[in-house]
Amino acid sequence: MNQLVLVTGATGFIGSHVVAQLLAKGYRVRAAARSVPKLQKIFPNASGLEMVEVPTLTSDYTESLKGVDAVIHMAAELFSKGSPSDHIFEVRSG
């Protein structure tokens, strides 16, 4: 399989599992995270894996998207203060 998939948040718990499963199925993966050294630690010598550093969710992804066939967006800001209800909003239809 030659398809290239960009996975954001690739060092996170779920993101790293998504990357591993894609690689196991033969996809080429471009893993995006805030820390390339952390990616290298999680995926040492992984065949078919490109690693890109993306400092924030609002960073410019233009270069990271070149040649990509699909995007799996797993990146999220983590909140360390306040209760979950401070960060989860209910959507109601009228």
Side-chain angles (χ1 to χ4, degrees):
M1 195 169 293
N2 271 335
Q3 291 183 322
L4 177 60
V5 180
L6 171 67
V7 179
T8 65
T11 58
F13 179 78
I14 297 172
S16 63
H17 284 273
V18 169
V19 169
Q21 288 182 21
L22 288 168
L23 291 171
K25 293 190 179 286
Y27 288 91
R28 293 181 302 127
V29 177
R30 184 172 294 151
R34 287 178 287 191
S35 170
V36 167
K38 188 171 180 182
L39 278 169
Q40 292 168 333
K41 186 175 180 180
I42 296 170
F43 301 104
N45 306 316
S47 179
L49 180 65
E50 298 175 33
M51 301 177 191
V52 294
E53 192 164 288
V54 182
T56 69
L57 283 175
T58 57
S59 296
D60 184 355
Y61 281 79
T62 304
E63 288 299 313
S64 299
L65 289 166
K66 288 187 178 175
V68 167
D69 296 297
V71 175
I72 300 177
H73 182 56
M74 302 302 303
E77 292 291 336
L78 298 178
F79 300 98
S80 60
K81 295 184 180 180
S83 71
S85 62
D86 293 336
H87 308 289
I88 299 172
F89 304 96
E90 183 178 346
V91 177
R92 298 180 184 195
S93 58

